[in-house]
């Protein structure tokens, strides 16, 4: 088995686990924080938007079963890639989108996918998602892990109420 890592910041990490969790080849999806310079940040600290961290998910996957390119495709379909100020009603640095690359090949593929999305004409504003080198990933507190399974009613209310689900439906035609 060829295990690899992919790290994506897509706004609230609660909404970024379920979309990846259902695919064969995805071995784990962990909610956490990355991109900042404070060691061992907490949810409360990251939410102050003063640490440089973003809420993110780190995916361990078997690249013999699911490709990094497929993970990128899934990622783009979960976010508003034109929003430079956060995602949906979550605002600030900690909710900005990013692809954190672990290898030069991931960097190349991420840049290529971003360019293809920009050229597609799907959005009339520039793609604001950052592509950055991976930094230390800190696992979030246990209460944030697999939130969609632990708190399905609140999760669904949040995903719909934030505007994320309607955006996905409006822009992709489904909730994939």
């Amino acid at each position: 088995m060829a295990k690899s890592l992919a790290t994506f910041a897509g706004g609230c990490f609660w909404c970024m686990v379920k979309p990846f969790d259902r695919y064969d080849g995805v071995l784990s999806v962990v909610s956490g924080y990355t991109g900042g310079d404070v060691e061992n940040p907490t949810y409360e600290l990251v939410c102050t938007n003063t640490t440089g961290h973003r809420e993110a998910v780190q995916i361990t996957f078997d690249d013999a079963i699911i490709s990094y390119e497929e993970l990128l495709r899934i990622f783009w379909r979960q976010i508003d890639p034109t929003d430079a100020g956060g995602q949906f009603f979550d605002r600030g640095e900690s909710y900005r989108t990013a692809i954190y690359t672990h290898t030069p090949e991931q960097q190349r593929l991420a840049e290529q996918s971003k360019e293809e999305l920009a050229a597609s004409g799907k959005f009339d504003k520039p793609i604001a998602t950052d592509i950055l080198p991976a930094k230390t990933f800190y696992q979030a507190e246990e209460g944030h892990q697999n939130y969609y399974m632990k708190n399905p009613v609140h999760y669904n209310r949040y995903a719909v109420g934030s505007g994320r689900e309607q955006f996905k439906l409006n822009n992709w035609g489904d909730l994939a």
Side-chain angles (χ1 to χ4, degrees):
M1 178 185 323
K3 284 188 188 179
S4 297
L5 290 177
T7 305
F8 303 118
C12 177
F13 48 33
W14 292 348
C15 294
M16 294 300 293
V17 176
K18 184 178 180 181
F20 293 100
D21 223 11
R22 63 185 186 192
Y23 285 90
D24 290 339
V26 171
L27 306 174
S28 69
V29 185
V30 177
S31 296
Y33 319 106
T34 194
D37 297 315
V38 174
E39 289 186 19
N40 301 308
T42 63
Y43 179 75
E44 290 74 21
L45 188 58
V46 171
C47 286
T48 66
N49 292 307
T50 61
T51 68
H53 290 91
R54 298 181 197 192
E55 288 191 17
V57 292
Q58 189 159 81
I59 302 162
T60 302
F61 65 102
D62 181 343
D63 57 21
I65 298 172
I66 190 167
S67 68
Y68 185 70
E69 294 95 325
E70 179 65 10
L71 295 175
L72 287 167
R73 187 192 70 74
I74 297 164
F75 168 73
W76 290 120
R77 294 172 65 97
Q78 308 312 310
I79 65 168
D80 176 353
T82 67
D83 189 344
Q87 285 292 285
F88 310 101
F89 70 48
D90 291 315
R91 311 313 300 157
E93 179 70 25
S94 63
Y95 294 110
R96 291 187 57 216
T97 61
I99 299 168
Y100 291 94
T101 60
H102 294 269
T103 67
E105 179 66 1
Q106 284 189 357
Q107 173 79 26
R108 184 187 71 74
L109 292 169
E111 294 286 353
Q112 179 182 323
S113 72
K114 182 177 177 178
E115 290 167 12
E116 288 170 0
L117 183 59
S120 75
K122 184 164 227 16
F123 298 100
D124 59 3
K125 296 187 279 185
I127 304 302
T129 299
D130 295 321
I131 298 174
L132 302 165
K135 292 182 82 169
T136 303
F137 182 87
Y138 297 96
Q139 186 169 323
E141 298 80 353
E142 184 55 36
H144 294 295
Q145 303 304 325
N146 298 306
Y147 194 83
Y148 79 96
M149 288 190 273
K150 293 176 184 173
N151 300 288
V153 172
H154 184 254
Y155 168 81
N156 288 327
R157 190 170 50 240
Y158 176 85
V160 171
S162 70
R164 185 183 293 265
E165 295 303 302
Q166 191 62 49
F167 179 88
K168 289 165 45 177
L169 188 60
N170 291 348
N171 287 278
W172 300 104
D174 59 32
L175 297 177

